[in-house]
Amino acid sequence: PADIISTVEFNHTGELLATGDKGGRVVIFQREPESKNEPYNQGEYNVYSTFQSHEPEFDYLKSLEIEEKINKIKWLPQQNAAHSLLSTNDKTIKLWKITERDKRPEGYNLKDEEGKLKDLSTVTSLQVPVLKPMDLMVEVTPRRIFANGHTYHVNSISVNSDCETYMSADDLRINLWHLAITDRSFNIVDIKPANMEDLTEVITASEFHPHHCNLFVYSSSKGSLRLCDMRASALCDKHSK
């Protein structure tokens, strides 16, 4: 069951395809370049990188197991040579950075080849370090962990067109996060009734407008879509359309 894919997401160019599975792993595939023999063949997708994104946890306050299954993956617009993506399970959202290394520096003055500091008394001359080619390495590093923002299960995340914020939605609330701030978020939709017996619908997904950073839409279990404008009110419980 751990190998069953739970979500897939292309990056903005379509060169990379990320898949998340029930075992908490993220596998990134890269499209091979077109061959001259078959110019109309877009090329196959081969494994580019694999990493463990989430681990199973236990909520001791609620005596609840939080499974590692990846619910959603979203790529951030590429700003430099590195790629970034958000992945989430039921409770915790993580920001990952994917970088390539095909050169390594050699010729340190104060370190040996293994990276240990030399005895300074043995350093008698100075040399200029140089970059030597090496086999391509893909490094995946965790940049930020956005936790404790949701009481209920996270069902979707969406990156804003301003490239600074994103939102995450659970069954009853939608939160707005800043990509640089992990310890707090801003609640922009809350449909939780005062009495839970009056609950008639839950949020099923949410998505930002691709160009207008103030607009977003969310769907509910009643089959309705609600368009909201963050310029109208800080709390978007009253939708625009």
Side-chain angles (χ1 to χ4, degrees):
D3 292 327
I4 294 175
I5 293 174
S6 53
T7 184
V8 294
E9 187 78 14
F10 280 105
N11 75 335
H12 294 78
T13 62
E15 290 298 315
L16 298 176
L17 172 66
T19 66
D21 63 22
K22 286 190 173 183
R25 291 185 301 269
V26 173
V27 181
I28 303 174
F29 297 87
Q30 184 180 43
R31 184 169 63 187
E32 294 298 313
E34 293 182 13
S35 64
K36 293 181 180 178
N37 299 331
E38 299 178 86
Y40 298 106
N41 186 2
Q42 287 292 312
E44 295 183 353
Y45 281 84
N46 293 322
V47 174
Y48 178 67
S49 179
T50 303
F51 62 95
Q52 188 72 30
S53 175
H54 287 72
E55 301 281 355
E57 300 173 51
F58 190 79
D59 188 337
Y60 292 97
L61 290 175
K62 297 181 179 179
S63 296
L64 186 71
E65 287 188 13
I66 304 168
E67 61 180 9
E68 63 272 33
K69 183 185 77 149
I70 307 296
N71 290 343
K72 219 57 159 180
I73 293 172
K74 286 290 180 181
W75 292 89
L76 273 64
Q78 193 172 0
Q79 307 285 346
N80 47 40
H83 297 275
S84 298
L85 62 80
L86 289 165
S87 63
T88 183
N89 65 350
D90 285 340
K91 296 290 182 186
T92 305
I93 305 160
K94 296 184 179 182
L95 175 64
W96 299 90
K97 183 180 180 183
I98 301 107
T99 53
E100 290 184 355
R101 274 206 311 166
D102 59 357
K103 293 183 177 66
R104 67 170 180 268
E106 288 186 2
Y108 284 113
N109 290 289
L110 304 180
K111 294 180 182 177
D112 59 21
E113 292 180 358
E114 296 178 355
K116 297 178 181 177
L117 283 173
K118 295 179 182 176
D119 182 1
L120 297 182
S121 61
T122 63
V123 180
T124 57
S125 61
L126 293 177
Q127 58 182 338
V128 178
V130 294
L131 289 172
K132 294 282 185 70
M134 58 177 277
D135 292 337
L136 179 67
M137 276 183 60
V138 179
E139 295 180 336
V140 181
T141 51
R143 296 302 303 272
R144 289 180 179 78
I145 297 175
F146 306 89
N148 306 319
H150 287 277
T151 307
Y152 308 99
H153 292 174
V154 178
N155 54 46
S156 60
I157 47 179
S158 179
V159 181
N160 201 345
S161 59
D162 63 8
C163 299
E164 290 187 357
T165 57
Y166 76 93
M167 68 178 173
S168 57
D170 64 24
D171 296 334
L172 298 178
R173 297 187 180 101
I174 300 175
N175 291 339
L176 183 69
W177 301 80
H178 193 284
L179 285 162
I181 301 171
T182 60
D183 59 352
R184 63 186 182 274
S185 60
F186 189 77
N187 180 233
I188 53 176
V189 172
D190 187 349
I191 66 168
K192 183 181 179 182
N195 184 358
M196 285 296 279
E197 292 181 358
D198 299 331
L199 184 67
T200 58
E201 62 180 332
V202 294
I203 297 168
T204 53
S206 63
E207 189 79 23
F208 268 118
H209 190 281
H211 308 301
H212 301 302
C213 61
N214 55 287
L215 295 176
F216 70 93
V217 66
Y218 71 92
S219 58
S220 83
S221 56
K222 278 187 172 179
S224 60
L225 296 169
R226 293 177 173 89
L227 180 70
C228 301
D229 190 342
M230 290 192 292
R231 295 174 300 184
S233 172
L235 192 63
C236 301
D237 287 350
K238 295 181 179 178
H239 49 279
S240 304
K241 286 187 180 181

